Amino acid sequence: MSSIRLRLLKWLLGPILLVNLVLAALVAGLAWTPAQVAFDGGLQDTANGLAARLAAGAVPQLPPAAPNADRSWFVVRDGHGRHLAGAAAFPALRPGAAPYDAEVDGEPVRVVALAVQTADGERQLGVARTLRQRLEVRSAIVRSLVVLVSLVTLTLVGVVWLSVSNGLRPLARIRAELAARGPGDLAPIPQASVPYEIAPVVAGFNELLDKVEAGARAQRDFLADMAHQLRTPLAGMQLQLEWLRARHARDPDTVRSLGMMELANERMIRQVNQLLALARAREGRPDGQHAPLDLAQLVQETIQFFVGQAAVKDIDLGFELAPAPVEGDAFQLRDLVDNLVDNALRYAPAGGWVTVSCAQEGDAVLFRVEDSGPGIPPARRAAVFERFVRLDDKTTGSGLGLAIVRDIARAHGAIVLLDGAEDGGTRVTVRFAARVAT
């Protein structure tokens, strides 16, 4: 994945570093040239002094060298190049030329050569000096420039980095805002503080959010229409079947057939309700925003339907409810409670028991349903949360109940734990974050 930050830094820092290197080379040259001219001027002055003594007929002598100073040599030759005085190993002279480089006794030197008129005719005078001080000065210049260029480069890198980071801050703010949104928050991104350069991108993204919102709205409308269109005729069919069974109560064969039809109709009603609940859970929270509620009170309101069902199967349905404040969608949480309790009643045997409990424990709210059914093998516990997965064919059901529970729990930031009950059977625990009192 490419990075805008890295691309900007590459195109900004690359030229800056190149320009710094070029400027450093130019500054080094400009700083060294005057030093070179100053050293050559000092050597020229020494040569002129010796030439004045030689023209006056005196024997030229170099002045005493200062401690740690460069070593110097001189030579006097006649017009034919014969040695008259000074260092015999002095290199060839080029009178009238600019200072030039040579070697004396294997050491690099700088040489100034002059032609001097004396009473005895023309003489050639040469003065040479080692390059030690020059090299030390040049090294000092290079070291100073390295430090200076490094500081300037680091400063520029920091400025560029801060500038790029500040320029990309609107993108980071938009990313953080989108990351903080919930799964059902499709509100458009505010464009008031969006920079001009990314305004078209934000506008296009807002158009996409509008389309997604329209699709979600259409899906909600479809679910509402389907709920009405399917539930109403199925409920009417159930009433007609009950009426027919009452009319033909003396005909065993008719009663048996009508009972089978009623059972099939009940399964159809349950499957339709579960499919609608699963669609709502997968969509997030389409039916409303999460709001503060007491899970214990919601369970009390929801559980009444199952009391009669438990009595028919001779199942001991018990409750252990304590205040359990959570943030959630009451409609979806009712679906969660319905599916867990219904599953427990279906798998608990006649004469068995089902216990429903909820309470706050620390910073969490635990909703738990336990039953005395056959239990779920540990190897199958992960699979039962998938759609249309059933442990056996002896118990009626569509295999959607725990899938609905899982999706509703995810929409509420909760987790579902499945293990065995203390006396056998199954225990399902949904762990919610407790609502903080305000």
Side-chain angles (χ1 to χ4, degrees):
M1 182 183 296
S2 61
S3 170
I4 297 178
R5 181 191 301 274
L6 292 180
R7 293 180 64 183
L8 288 175
L9 291 175
K10 179 179 69 175
W11 286 106
L12 290 174
L13 293 180
I16 287 176
L17 294 177
L18 180 61
V19 170
N20 278 352
L21 291 176
V22 172
L23 289 178
L26 292 176
V27 171
L30 293 175
W32 170 242
T33 299
Q36 180 86 324
V37 170
F39 279 112
D40 286 345
L43 185 59
Q44 185 74 46
D45 292 340
T46 301
N48 290 336
L50 294 180
R53 292 177 61 86
L54 182 61
V59 178
Q61 292 291 336
L62 288 172
N68 301 323
D70 283 327
R71 184 181 177 187
S72 300
W73 296 267
F74 81 95
V75 69
V76 178
R77 293 172 180 163
D78 61 15
H80 301 286
R82 289 189 293 269
H83 179 267
L84 298 178
F90 206 92
L93 299 177
R94 290 182 284 179
Y100 57 93
D101 295 327
E103 284 189 2
V104 176
D105 295 336
E107 186 170 4
V109 296
R110 190 76 167 170
V111 179
V112 172
L114 300 174
V116 181
Q117 293 294 332
T118 67
D120 297 328
E122 184 179 279
R123 297 289 184 266
Q124 295 179 355
L125 173 67
V127 180
R129 185 173 294 164
T130 57
L131 306 179
R132 298 170 188 170
Q133 288 186 336
R134 296 172 185 251
L135 296 179
E136 290 176 359
V137 171
R138 186 165 64 182
S139 298
I141 292 175
V142 171
R143 288 195 300 269
S144 300
L145 283 176
V146 168
V147 173
L148 180 61
V149 170
S150 299
L151 291 176
V152 171
T153 301
L154 291 176
T155 301
L156 290 176
V157 168
V159 170
V160 170
W161 181 274
L162 291 177
S163 300
V164 171
S165 299
N166 186 62
L168 295 177
R169 190 169 298 168
L171 291 177
R173 184 173 63 252
I174 293 175
R175 181 180 63 183
E177 178 185 344
L178 292 177
R181 291 189 177 191
D185 189 356
L186 299 177
I189 300 173
Q191 293 186 266
S193 59
V194 173
Y196 173 79
E197 289 76 10
I198 62 173
V201 177
V202 174
F205 192 78
N206 285 340
E207 292 179 3
L208 178 61
L209 289 177
D210 290 340
K211 293 178 182 178
V212 173
E213 173 64 24
R217 189 181 305 111
Q219 183 176 357
R220 290 196 295 270
D221 295 340
F222 172 76
L223 290 175
D225 292 341
M226 178 177 288
H228 176 72
Q229 296 296 331
L230 290 178
R231 286 171 176 167
T232 301
L234 288 174
M237 183 181 295
Q238 182 70 20
L239 291 175
Q240 293 297 321
L241 291 173
E242 293 175 357
W243 180 79
L244 285 173
R245 187 174 59 176
R247 286 287 303 270
H248 300 277
R250 297 180 180 181
D251 186 352
D253 293 335
T254 302
V255 170
R256 183 170 59 255
S257 297
L258 290 174
M260 295 177 62
M261 294 174 64
E262 286 182 358
L263 180 60
N265 193 63
E266 289 177 358
R267 292 185 61 185
M268 179 70 72
I269 292 174
R270 171 173 169 75
Q271 290 182 353
V272 167
N273 290 334
Q274 286 193 319
L275 287 172
L276 293 176
L278 180 63
R280 288 193 299 267
R282 288 289 171 88
E283 189 181 358
R285 45 191 171 105
D287 297 296
Q289 300 294 322
H290 288 188
L293 55 88
D294 185 357
L295 190 59
Q297 182 178 355
L298 184 142
V299 171
Q300 287 178 344
E301 298 171 355
T302 304
I303 209 70
Q304 298 302 321
F305 169 77
F306 296 103
V307 174
Q309 183 179 342
V312 171
K313 292 188 64 177
D314 190 24
I315 294 175
D316 180 15
L317 179 60
F319 306 97
E320 298 176 3
L321 305 179
V326 297
E327 293 273 350
D329 178 19
F331 194 84
Q332 287 190 354
L333 291 178
R334 287 191 181 94
D335 285 339
L336 181 145
V337 173
D338 285 348
N339 280 280
L340 285 180
V341 177
D342 183 77
N343 272 355
L345 291 175
R346 286 177 182 275
Y347 285 97
W353 54 267
V354 172
T355 301
V356 180
S357 63
C358 67
Q360 180 174 352
E361 296 185 6
D363 59 350
V365 166
L366 302 183
F367 173 70
R368 183 175 289 122
V369 178
E370 301 177 71
D371 64 69
S372 59
I376 302 175
R380 300 291 306 277
R381 289 174 182 173
V384 296
F385 289 101
E386 300 300 324
R387 292 179 296 172
F388 306 111
V389 173
R390 297 174 57 194
L391 295 179
D392 56 57
D393 298 328
K394 299 178 181 180
T395 304
T396 60
S398 60
L400 290 174
L402 291 179
I404 295 172
V405 170
R406 177 198 60 187
D407 291 338
I408 293 176
R410 286 178 178 174
H412 288 76
I415 58 175
V416 183
L417 305 175
L418 183 62
D419 56 4
E422 294 181 359
D423 300 330
T426 303
R427 176 172 58 193
V428 182
T429 303
V430 185
R431 182 185 180 93
F432 297 89
R435 174 169 55 88
V436 178
T438 57

